[in-house]
Structures are given as structure tokens and as C-alpha cells.
Amino acid sequence: MPLLPKTPPFSRRTLLRGLGGSAVLGALAGCGVPAAYVAPGDRAATDRSATERRLTWANWPLYIDTDDADPSRRPTLEAFEEETGISVAYVEEINDNYEFFGKISPSLMNHQPTDRDLIVISDWMCGRLVRLGWVQEMDRSHQPNVTRYLDPLLRSPAFDPGRAFTVPWQSGITGIAYNRRRLGREVRRVSDLWADDLKGRVTLLSGMDEAFALLMQGNGVDITDWTADDFHTMCDQVERQVARGQVRRFTGNDYIKDLSSGDVLACQAYSGDVIQLQADDPDIEFVVPEEGAELWSESLMIPNLARHKANAERLIDFYYRPEVAAELAAWVNYVCPVPAARDVLASSDDEETAALAEDPLIFPDAAMRERLAIARDIAAGERAEFAKRWNGIVGV
């Protein structure tokens, strides 16, 4: 497959991070209703993969490569179908983690199929499905590429040790974006956001799961093993900054507009968004602070009672071939979970494509990797308390 550089108008993250459906999540995943739990022996259905050469895959919009001339075509997916004879019903139906949870939870908690063989959701939401027993363990004998090529940084998050139930689709970094020219200085630490020359020109992410880790890291916290005291200390700090007018507002992905217009000079941001912003404004920089930044993923999962589990496992492994991962990375511009794809891009005859191999926001260099960590997610017993505290600050 030719490696053609392609940048969509905005990443699919511009479509999400709403707070709808939180009541459903609190009632089920947040509180961990015992009746909703599905034991391991009750998760699998008869696998029809050998006789039904198909699968249904639910994903986010703008999260797969498309053909420049015909956006309805998806080159890597078509290559998989041609090679394997497995047809894929690809549905761009996920616009928000909470909303999608609410869509599939009635089926899963009542031990009914979701009619989806593969889904992609954020790792912090993956943790809830894993704890509820709503997804199936994958058979790594069907996935030699995942075993060989998955980035070591992503192999064993706290919510899914050894990645038994999840495989990263794409990853990213939550760090700080700022306009170097307008600010007139560097931003190197989280504490730089609280400087007087940024008063009223800073935004933070409104979603608790998206915001908390980076802010804790600014306090020197190991986010792989943080405590309730760490969380409340971080909230105390943010409350003080809100009270003094330092924080302009809390945002979803609309920080992109604020940063582009100059209304905001520095903000919490996602690496994939900043790559795209830099194409129009090279003065915008992305920083992994000296104290560290959060590495996150959206991951592939096979829900309970999926009828085409082996086909789904085969599709996942296809995307872990370095040449396929490179094709995808050249289009979506997120942190690639397959480091070996870097060499594929570097060998491209196209200069723009080859340059992607040197972008640390797609392939973090050694120095950056040392400062990245996957946060321990918020456990079921903590969520109600923490959400009440955080939402009180944000004003939800």
C-alpha cells in the first residue's frame, strides 16, 4: 500500500468529551453494581468465524485512513478484506464514551449480544468494562504481531495487566500546548500555567478522566499509583487558581478554537490535535512537561457474546503489521502503538511521509518516553466522590 500523507481537517477528538450519560455510568460502572458483573465462563458465544466470514466494528469518526479521492473508501480495511475474504461492517457510531456505554450496557448487563464484534473506546472506559466482565479475553495465539510489535510502554496498564482484554488502536499524550510567539517565552512545567503573565489566558480540560493525571504530575505524583490525597491536593490547587482568575474556563476540544484565536495562550491539550494545529500555525508548540505527561490510548475490545471473535482477533493483528500501522499513522497522526512502523515511514520516497518518522508526537523519542506514564484509572469505589469534587470545580 502506498504511504500517502493525509491530515483530516480536525481529529475525531473534536467530536467528543461530552458529559452526557454520566448518570448511567454512575449507576453501573461507577458503583460497580454486582448484578451487572459477568463471570468469565459466561462471556463467550459460539464463534461463527469459520463459516461466517464477516465482522462488525464500531469506531469513532475520523479514526481510520481514507482515500483522498473517495472518502468512503478505507485502503487498509479494504486490504484486509481482500487478503482474508472477511467482510467488515465498519460503523462510525462512537462520538462519546459515556454515550456509547449507555448504548451497549443494557445488552451486556443482561447477557445479550451487542451485535458488534469489535469496539474502540478510551482506556479509562475500557477499565470499567474489564471490571464488569463485559469483554472477552483475546487469544494471543491468533495475534503474533500484537505480541511482537506492541509498544512496551503500552503493554501492561493497571486496569488490564498484560493487555489480556484490550489492544491499543491509537495512543496520544495529554500535555500542554501554547503559542510561543504570543507568550514570548517557553512553557516547560505544569506550574508555568500558574504564572502571572498567563492570568485569564489558560484553559484546563473539563473531563475529570482527561484532566487529573497531568495536573497530578505537576505536583510530582507517580500517576501509576496515585492516592485519594493526591487527587484532593490537585483539586485544592485548581480551586485556588480558579478563584484568582488564572483559569479562563474548562473546555472540551474547543480549546483548539481558543488557542488558534489567541484568546488562550496555554492549555491542556492532546498531542494529535496539536500536530494538526501546527500545520496552520507553527508558533503553537506542544510540551511534555519536565514532571511528565499522561500517555493514553483508545483500545480495541471484543464484547461479550460476539459471534465473530476469531475474525476480530485477526483484524486486530493485521493492524499491528508495521507497514499497515505506518499507513494508518500517516493519516491519523496520533502516537503509533507500533514503534516498528517508524522505519517503514522513514524509508518512504515521499519527503512529507518520511518526515512523520521524526515527529516525536507520533513516535516519541527516548527522552520523551522517559517522561510518559499511563495513569491508574479511577476505581469504581472512588468515582462518585471524585466526580462530585471535580464537577463542583468545573461547574457541571
Side-chain angles (χ1 to χ4, degrees):
M1 293 177 291
L3 292 174
L4 300 175
K6 170 68 178 177
T7 302
F10 277 114
S11 75
R12 61 114 200 121
R13 281 186 168 255
T14 62
L15 303 176
L16 61 121
R17 300 310 178 200
L19 294 175
S22 58
V24 174
L25 182 65
L28 294 175
C31 297
V33 177
Y37 177 77
V38 178
D42 296 325
R43 298 174 188 174
T46 300
D47 195 342
R48 301 174 181 173
S49 294
T51 56
E52 297 180 359
R53 309 292 288 169
R54 60 184 175 86
L55 67 96
T56 299
W57 179 9
N59 204 349
W60 304 78
L62 304 176
Y63 218 17
I64 197 170
D65 55 302
T66 61
D67 186 279
D68 287 348
D70 183 357
S72 68
R73 299 188 62 186
R74 304 177 178 96
T76 57
L77 196 55
E78 290 179 3
F80 171 79
E81 292 177 315
E82 182 177 354
E83 176 182 314
T84 64
I86 298 170
S87 64
V88 181
Y90 185 82
V91 186
E92 293 183 324
E93 64 169 326
I94 307 176
N95 292 301
D96 176 87
N97 285 288
Y98 292 120
E99 177 188 346
F100 188 67
F101 180 93
K103 183 182 293 187
I104 63 175
S105 59
S107 296
L108 291 168
M109 72 181 300
N110 289 296
H111 198 57
Q112 297 173 349
T114 65
D115 297 325
R116 300 164 181 86
D117 301 294
L118 194 60
I119 62 176
V120 180
I121 54 178
S122 299
D123 270 357
W124 57 266
M125 182 64 82
C126 290
R128 293 155 179 68
L129 269 68
V130 170
R131 286 192 291 269
L132 286 164
W134 287 2
V135 289
Q136 299 183 61
E137 184 172 353
M138 297 189 202
D139 185 346
R140 290 289 183 256
S141 69
H142 296 164
Q143 299 176 319
N145 293 321
V146 173
T147 300
R148 180 177 180 182
Y149 293 116
L150 175 58
D151 191 331
L153 283 178
L154 299 170
R155 284 183 180 266
S156 196
F159 73 90
D160 184 18
R163 288 280 182 185
F165 298 93
T166 64
V167 174
W169 171 241
Q170 295 293 288
S171 289
I173 303 166
T174 300
I176 297 172
Y178 74 104
N179 190 304
R180 173 69 181 272
R181 178 180 58 81
R182 286 175 169 153
L183 182 57
R185 63 174 177 85
E186 289 187 343
V187 171
R188 302 181 65 179
R189 303 176 65 89
V190 175
S191 60
D192 290 343
L193 295 175
W194 317 137
D196 290 341
D197 61 349
L198 280 172
K199 187 172 183 178
R201 310 294 291 278
V202 172
T203 61
L204 302 178
L205 294 170
S206 59
M208 176 176 64
D209 294 275
E210 290 75 33
F212 81 89
L214 180 73
L215 298 173
M216 282 187 189
Q217 285 170 304
N219 294 331
V221 173
D222 175 4
I223 60 170
T224 67
D225 190 29
W226 56 271
T227 67
D229 286 344
D230 295 326
F231 182 87
H232 288 297
T233 296
M234 177 272 294
C235 287
D236 291 343
Q237 180 184 55
V238 174
E239 279 184 325
R240 289 194 297 271
Q241 297 301 333
V242 170
R244 66 184 288 260
Q246 188 74 12
V247 178
R248 182 183 183 91
R249 67 190 185 104
F250 293 86
T251 74
N253 282 85
D254 42 346
Y255 73 80
I256 293 171
K257 178 180 64 177
D258 291 343
L259 189 61
S260 298
S261 68
D263 290 339
V264 162
L265 298 182
C267 58
Q268 276 189 308
Y270 303 121
S271 56
D273 290 339
V274 174
I275 289 176
Q276 295 166 36
L277 288 171
Q278 289 171 333
D280 296 322
D281 188 349
D283 292 321
I284 294 177
E285 298 191 14
F286 184 85
V287 176
V288 171
E290 293 177 359
E291 309 98 327
E294 181 190 14
L295 179 66
W296 47 260
S297 300
E298 262 99 29
S299 290
L300 297 143
M301 310 179 82
I302 300 173
N304 288 357
L305 305 182
R307 297 294 188 181
H308 309 97
K309 181 174 184 285
N311 290 345
E313 290 168 340
R314 190 170 180 181
L315 175 64
I316 293 168
D317 202 56
F318 175 82
Y319 275 96
Y320 267 71
R321 293 181 186 176
E323 65 274 16
V324 179
E327 176 80 358
L328 183 62
W331 203 90
V332 300
N333 290 172
Y334 281 94
V335 174
C336 181
V338 182
R342 181 180 182 276
D343 290 339
V344 177
L345 289 170
S347 66
S348 173
D349 292 333
D350 182 273
E351 291 185 5
E352 186 177 352
T353 299
L356 295 175
E358 303 305 318
D359 191 329
L361 300 188
I362 300 176
F363 299 98
D365 56 31
M368 184 181 291
R369 288 172 70 88
E370 290 181 357
R371 302 199 302 277
L372 299 176
I374 300 176
R376 173 182 79 76
D377 64 326
I378 298 173
E382 302 170 314
R383 179 158 293 275
E385 173 193 349
F386 292 170
K388 181 178 180 180
R389 178 80 197 275
W390 180 257
N391 290 342
I393 298 171
V394 174
V396 175

